[in-house]
Amino acid sequence: MDIKNLTITMLMAFIIVVIIGPIFLPMLHRLKFGQTVRDDGPQTHLAKNGTPTMGGIMFMIAITITVLFRAKLDSDIFVGLVCMLGFGLVGFLDDFIIIKMRRSLGLKPWQKIAMQFVISGYVAFYQYTSSPAASKIMIPFTDKFLDLGILYVPIMMFIIIGTVNAVNLTDGLDGLASGITAVVSTFFVAFALFVAKDAGVATFAAATVGGCIGFLVFNVNPAKVFMGDTGSMALGGAVVAFAVLTNSVLLIPIVGGIYFAEALSVIIQVTYFKKTGKRIFKMAPLHHHFEQCGWPETKVVFIFWIVAIILAWIGVVAGF
């Protein structure tokens, strides 16, 4: 797989999303799959009430079709798709329950974590048993590897679940999660192609880049559709699949630094509030803090995109 073919893969996924969009959006309107914005969120977001959600289905379809047509269908690709679609299904059930069954919290926490546990366990166990060297993960900025041995599966499950939920928390502004994931996926295209020498993962990542950029056509401010938990959890599943399948999960906190800054801001906010009754951030996740500081939504998204690009280049130094 060369750069030309990977570019074709990106374009294919992009075009599929752009074609699906005008068909899918009216369907979401008819089904009344509209977003309900929290009253305790930024007041500027109240105007978004009723905007169709669950739009992540669009790029999930595009990525899956593109990968099936463009990649050699081996067990790695199958597991990668299971990771993306499995976590996407968890998000879909959460969205569906909230919207159609009028339950504010969607899936119960134990239901959500149980499903995430099963998917992450499957992916981690597959990788652990795929080769004798599978438990060795690369250490960024070095040419050394860390052999996790028998601890590989539980540690990897923790990383997978943490990453997916971090990506989920990043989805809060128009174009934020899709734009950042396009950048992160572009990094993994290059890493899989030039370092890991894994054409399948490179193709999968390229399809994800195309799908995310295609979705941005409908998701940039003012968004015509939101991806919902359906899309954000699917993207989290895709990103972590790239890293697990190339034994490079320690690169995710670097390249996906925005994801983890968002998750860390929530952890810090909740922990500090429970201990002191006070808040460190004006609002969490982090993107809402900057909104509350007076930044327009478009500025927050643009700055976060730029930071994501810088982190991706740092990832190049760390991983190449």
Side-chain angles (χ1 to χ4, degrees):
M1 181 64 67
D2 56 23
I3 294 175
K4 178 182 177 182
N5 281 316
L6 289 171
T7 302
I8 293 171
T9 300
M10 292 181 197
L11 285 172
M12 181 175 175
F14 171 84
I15 290 168
I16 292 174
V17 175
V18 171
I19 292 173
I20 288 176
I23 301 169
F24 196 69
L25 264 60
M27 188 185 308
L28 291 175
H29 277 291
R30 286 196 300 272
L31 293 171
K32 297 182 178 179
F33 281 2
Q35 176 78 33
T36 300
V37 177
R38 291 164 34 200
D39 291 334
D40 59 346
Q43 295 301 299
T44 54
H45 287 211
L46 295 177
K48 299 182 181 186
N49 261 318
T51 302
T53 188
M54 299 170 72
I57 295 172
M58 292 158 54
F59 56 71
M60 288 170 66
I61 292 171
I63 293 168
T64 303
I65 291 174
T66 303
V67 169
L68 291 176
F69 273 93
R70 299 288 300 169
K72 180 182 177 182
L73 302 182
D74 56 18
S75 55
D76 277 13
I77 289 296
F78 177 79
V79 170
L81 287 174
V82 167
C83 193
M84 179 187 75
L85 296 174
F87 282 110
L89 176 61
V90 176
F92 173 84
L93 293 173
D94 201 39
D95 286 334
F96 186 83
I97 291 169
I98 290 172
I99 295 168
K100 301 305 289 184
M101 299 181 67
R102 309 294 181 185
R103 272 173 46 181
S104 60
L105 295 177
L107 288 170
K108 295 176 181 177
W110 71 265
Q111 294 173 322
K112 188 180 294 188
I113 196 64
M115 286 187 278
Q116 293 181 354
F117 191 85
V118 170
I119 299 165
S120 62
Y122 169 74
V123 174
F125 184 75
Y126 164 80
Q127 184 65 4
Y128 180 65
T129 57
S130 64
S131 77
S135 63
K136 297 179 180 179
I137 56 176
M138 66 163 292
I139 301 175
F141 301 105
T142 75
D143 58 357
K144 294 178 171 52
F145 289 80
L146 175 64
D147 191 346
L148 298 176
I150 197 170
L151 294 176
Y152 178 88
V153 173
I155 291 174
M156 207 53 52
M157 289 173 66
F158 176 80
I159 291 172
I160 292 170
I161 292 173
T163 301
V164 169
N165 285 289
V167 177
N168 185 35
L169 288 170
T170 304
D171 179 37
L173 302 179
D174 296 352
L176 182 60
S178 44
I180 289 170
T181 304
V183 173
V184 173
S185 299
T186 301
F187 167 83
F188 277 108
V189 172
F191 183 83
L193 183 64
F194 297 114
V195 180
K197 309 295 183 183
D198 191 325
V201 173
T203 302
F204 189 7
T208 304
V209 175
C212 286
I213 295 174
F215 187 69
L216 280 171
V217 172
F218 308 97
N219 187 233
V220 290
N221 187 271
K224 300 180 182 68
V225 64
F226 301 140
M227 67 174 68
D229 283 1
T230 306
S232 59
M233 295 191 75
L235 291 182
V239 166
V240 83
F242 308 151
V244 170
L245 293 172
T246 56
N247 292 335
S248 59
V249 292
L250 294 183
L251 286 174
I252 298 180
I254 300 172
V255 181
I258 293 291
Y259 300 145
F260 285 89
E262 297 274 28
L264 194 60
S265 70
V266 173
I267 294 169
I268 292 171
Q269 185 87 322
V270 171
T271 303
Y272 190 75
F273 184 78
K274 285 183 177 180
K275 287 184 176 294
T276 67
K278 299 178 182 179
R279 293 176 172 86
I280 291 180
F281 302 103
K282 293 186 176 182
M283 187 175 290
L286 190 59
H287 53 261
H288 288 325
H289 169 79
F290 288 106
E291 280 192 291
Q292 296 296 84
C293 289
W295 289 23
E297 180 175 347
T298 50
K299 179 180 178 179
V300 177
V301 172
F302 181 74
I303 295 296
F304 277 40
W305 283 0
I306 296 299
V307 172
I309 291 170
I310 294 170
L311 291 172
W313 280 108
I314 295 173
V316 169
V317 177
F320 281 64

